[in-house]
Amino acid sequence: MTEATPNGSPTQVSLRELLGGAPDPDFALVLPPGWVRRDVTDAERDHMLDKMRGRLLDAHRPDLYGRMRALVTEAFTQMRSVSTVAMFTAGDDAPDSAYMPASLTATIQHAEPGENLDAYVRGAITANGATALFGDKRFLRVERETTERMDGESMLATTVVYMTPVPGSQRRRALLLTLVILRPTDAPADDLPLVQMKTLFDLCASTLTWLPVDSKAAAPVT
């Protein structure tokens, strides 16, 4: 596995920081082999599309590029709409084994002004069946399954959200890691690849550690 840490590239500045508030700490977590942390920026989107175009040309499938470009562009638009702070994917030079029908993103959940997230957490437990990740109450895990349309086809989507409070926020902000795994509609819930991927990312989420604020520019550790 690879430990993902901030790489020192430009990142979005939160409203809190613009107003003079102390920035939240960043975080690191161990990722599947070949996976990397990416910023949600136009530059990263264009870089991913350029690499994708090269792979499709090498595979003699340039016809797929238009479809994939639309999907990637839409994904970045959706991530920005929910203030995604990072995404995690297979790296540019990752082996074929690193490519999975899964995505992992990180967002910050904010409480209403003057409130904390206690009611949000209670709702996640009572209404959505959230549980402590591996019994560790610092992390809540909630899972749901839906049917989604992707590129004209129906797919089953398993979504797992891992939630942990941001240190120093008095439970007013929480980090949400959102995992989405896609599979064919005829694949059962106990499909072995699905079970293995959920276990893999459960383990990855459990490794999350918070970094001192002054270490945001630390070099990646592999």
Side-chain angles (χ1 to χ4, degrees), residues 6-35:
N7 58 14
S9 58
T11 57
Q12 295 179 344
V13 178
S14 70
L15 179 60
R16 296 182 66 252
E17 292 179 63
L18 289 174
L19 295 176
D24 286 332
D26 215 318
F27 63 91
L29 70 159
V30 177
L31 297 173
W35 278 48

Side-chain angles (χ1 to χ4, degrees), residues 77-78 84 88 137:
T77 299
Q78 291 178 346
T84 303
F88 307 89
K137 294 183 179 180

Side-chain angles (χ1 to χ4, degrees), residues 78-99:
Q78 291 178 346
M79 285 189 289
R80 286 177 174 175
S81 71
V82 293
S83 301
T84 303
V85 296
M87 61 182 295
F88 307 89
T89 68
D92 295 340
D93 300 317
D96 291 344
S97 59
Y99 289 89

Side-chain angles (χ1 to χ4, degrees), residues 20-78:
D24 286 332
D26 215 318
F27 63 91
L29 70 159
V30 177
L31 297 173
W35 278 48
V36 297
R37 174 175 175 160
R38 299 182 187 272
D39 295 324
V40 185
T41 62
D42 288 345
E44 189 63 62
R45 179 200 61 203
D46 294 344
H47 172 78
M48 291 177 65
L49 286 171
D50 183 62
K51 292 293 184 180
M52 185 180 298
R53 182 174 182 274
R55 289 196 299 270
L56 290 173
L57 287 176
D58 289 343
H60 307 292
R61 292 303 308 272
D63 56 301
L64 294 178
Y65 178 69
R67 295 164 58 190
M68 296 306 298
R69 180 184 179 88
L71 290 172
V72 170
T73 300
E74 180 183 0
F76 268 74
T77 299
Q78 291 178 346

